[in-house]
Amino acid sequence: MELTTIWFILIAVLWIGYFTLEGFDFGVGMLLPVLARDDTERRVMINTIGPVWDGNEVWLLVAGGATFAAFPEWYATLFSGFYLPLLLILVALIVRGVAFEYRAKRDDDQWRRRWDAAIIVGSLLPSVLWGVAFANILRGVPIDSDLEYVGGFFNLLNPYALLGGAMTLLLFLTHGALFIALKTDGEIRHRARALALPVGAAAAVAAVLFLGWTQLETGSVASAVAFAGAAAALLAGLAVATQGREGWAFLGTFVAIGLGVAGLFLALFPDVMPTTLTSGTSLTTTNAAATAYTLRIMTVVAVIFTPLVLAYQGWTYWVFRKRIAVHHIPAAVGAER
């Protein structure tokens, strides 16, 4: 197998890790005003992702860095053509991270409400825009013969891409609701499990429409198998959620998102960014790749450090595996005064 193909697969794996992990903490952030009835319940929800949300974002950093090093033409064209949506995602992630750290710095309801709004918006924007961005990568964008993006921002807001954004939004909401049901106890747990079912049904409809459209346009046999597996996992997860088996239900959405992203990369290969111009040139794993020497060095580094990172993150989830509830939350700083 060529190194360019190996690195395409590795980048796909990094994006699978990012969406399956960051997806549920985006969902938790968006559900703050829906599931929590007071500040203590909001703190319960935030604490479910408190030890892991920043580790989940490492997958995005590594995916971006790997793309820059392994496929510099892909990175350059993607970030120049998708500059505005990617900038919005970056700003949202920064504000969201600051909000997690600062909301408890002052015992003031208005202060906390403002940072909670930052968490909600900072979770909502990436949830939609990542779907829009990936849908456009699959659909193709105007790239000329010099491998440069020649479209505008509104080229990205097409029906297919907007459907992709709706799909990721609904999937992350479902994923987040099931994670909350898995990680909490008491009333929040019951509300989250009840909400996951109708939102999950809407996510299933959006996923079938988007993935079916993708399969008809650019799909392969391999992507069809992955999409079918994703649909089956999502439906199975929703089915066991009705029986109160939150662990299996969360595993169902986890596998559904993972297989869905895998199917998107299978549908894309060997392109990494197809063009919609008849006179243009699509970016592929061949013409967008770095030199063979660069890829060999990167492969050695990945073989050494990837298992270490996976082991550390797995240990983190194991340490913080227990449920939390309202009675575990101490009084807010200054609340006794």
Side-chain angles (χ1 to χ4, degrees), residues 15 18-19 26 30 60 78 81-93 120-138 153-154 156-158 160-170 172 210 264:
W15 281 108
Y18 176 66
F19 283 127
F26 282 153
M30 290 186 286
L60 173 62
L78 177 65
F82 291 32
Y83 178 80
L84 183 55
L86 292 178
L87 177 63
L88 289 174
I89 290 172
L90 178 61
V91 171
L93 292 178
I120 296 162
V121 175
S123 301
L124 175 65
L125 276 179
S127 296
V128 175
L129 292 177
W130 279 129
V132 171
F134 267 82
N136 276 291
I137 292 173
L138 281 159
F153 172 71
F154 291 101
L156 306 178
L157 302 180
N158 54 79
Y160 176 72
L162 294 176
L163 178 59
M167 179 191 70
T168 52
L169 173 67
L170 292 168
F172 292 167
F210 179 77
L264 297 180

Side-chain angles (χ1 to χ4, degrees), residues 183-207:
K183 286 288 293 176
T184 63
D185 211 349
E187 289 299 318
I188 303 176
R189 175 186 179 184
H190 298 301
R191 292 185 211 126
R193 191 168 64 203
L195 181 67
L197 298 177
V199 176
V205 173

Side-chain angles (χ1 to χ4, degrees), residues 105-118:
K105 297 297 184 183
R106 182 186 299 175
D107 183 29
D108 180 81
D109 289 338
Q110 188 176 30
W111 170 271
R112 285 191 288 264
R113 282 197 298 270
R114 287 173 177 172
W115 287 119
D116 287 344

Side-chain angles (χ1 to χ4, degrees), residues 163-180:
L163 178 59
M167 179 191 70
T168 52
L169 173 67
L170 292 168
L171 281 174
F172 292 167
L173 283 169
T174 307
H175 202 34
L178 290 173
F179 181 77
I180 295 168

